Amino acid sequence: MNHLHAIQTLLGQARETREQAVLRVAEALRHRDNSRQKLSMLEHYRSDYLSRLQHEFKKMASTISLTQYGAFVDKLEAAIQQQREDLGFREKTLRLVQEKLIECEKRIRSLELYLEKQLRQLAQIENRREQKLMDEYAAGLARRMLQN
């Protein structure tokens, strides 16, 4: 029975680890989605800004304003690149925590199967013991009936 208790303890720990992994997956999903949304907003802003730049360029083509627009576009491109890198990091993190969750699920299933097997074996042993007692009782009863 100590062996079964140890398996049940391991199973409980594995389930707690799985719950922590589920929370990490949810957090990674949130971070990834936020990063994706920021990237989308930056790209949309860049598109709007570039169309405004074209409009302004047609109205006035001063060197100062074009230089300022160009500098801002460069900063915007750098921000977009940084956000793409962040999104890549978030997606990698998400894959890693999802893999960890899958490992946890496999460990739990393995422990559950092992525990079920052990319980079936114990039940078989108990059934055999009960059957033996019933057989002995029946044999003793039959002997007494024959003696009388």
Side-chain angles (χ1 to χ4, degrees), residues 1 8 15 42-43 48 52 57 59 70 75 91 93 104 106 117 121-122 128 131 135:
M1 279 311 218
Q8 289 170 332
R15 286 180 176 146
L42 284 169
E43 288 173 337
D48 288 347
R52 270 191 282 148
F57 181 70
K59 286 186 353 184
K75 289 179 183 178
E91 287 174 341
T93 301
C104 290
K106 287 179 182 178
K117 180 181 175 184
Q121 287 176 347
L122 282 175
R128 287 182 192 137
Q131 185 62 46
D135 290 347

Side-chain angles (χ1 to χ4, degrees), residues 2 55 102 121 130:
N2 269 346
H55 180 50
I102 290 168
Q121 287 176 347
E130 286 178 11

Side-chain angles (χ1 to χ4, degrees), residues 44-142:
H44 182 27
Y45 183 69
R46 176 187 59 189
S47 175
D48 288 347
Y49 191 80
L50 287 175
S51 68
R52 270 191 282 148
L53 175 63
Q54 286 178 342
H55 180 50
E56 288 294 319
F57 181 70
K58 289 177 184 175
K59 286 186 353 184
M60 60 173 192
S62 79
T63 313
I64 295 173
S65 65
L66 288 178
T67 304
Q68 290 172 345
Y69 276 116
F72 186 73
V73 168
D74 288 344
K75 289 179 183 178
L76 196 51
E77 290 293 337
I80 288 171
Q81 182 57 37
Q82 183 179 9
Q83 194 60 39
R84 283 183 180 142
E85 291 170 5
D86 182 67
L87 179 58
F89 171 77
R90 300 298 180 178
E91 287 174 341
K92 181 180 178 184
T93 301
L94 177 60
R95 281 191 304 275
L96 292 174
V97 296
Q98 285 173 330
E99 289 171 7
K100 180 66 175 171
L101 177 59
I102 290 168
E103 290 173 17
C104 290
E105 293 291 349
K106 287 179 182 178
R107 172 123 173 97
I108 288 170
R109 187 64 189 139
S110 174
L111 287 169
E112 286 174 341
L113 289 173
Y114 184 71
L115 182 60
E116 288 171 12
K117 180 181 175 184
Q118 293 298 310
L119 290 172
R120 276 193 311 271
Q121 287 176 347
L122 282 175
Q124 284 177 341
I125 291 169
E126 182 62 23
N127 288 341
R128 287 182 192 137
R129 187 182 70 74
E130 286 178 11
Q131 185 62 46
K132 182 180 175 187
L133 287 174
M134 294 297 283
D135 290 347
E136 289 173 356
Y137 177 75
L141 186 60

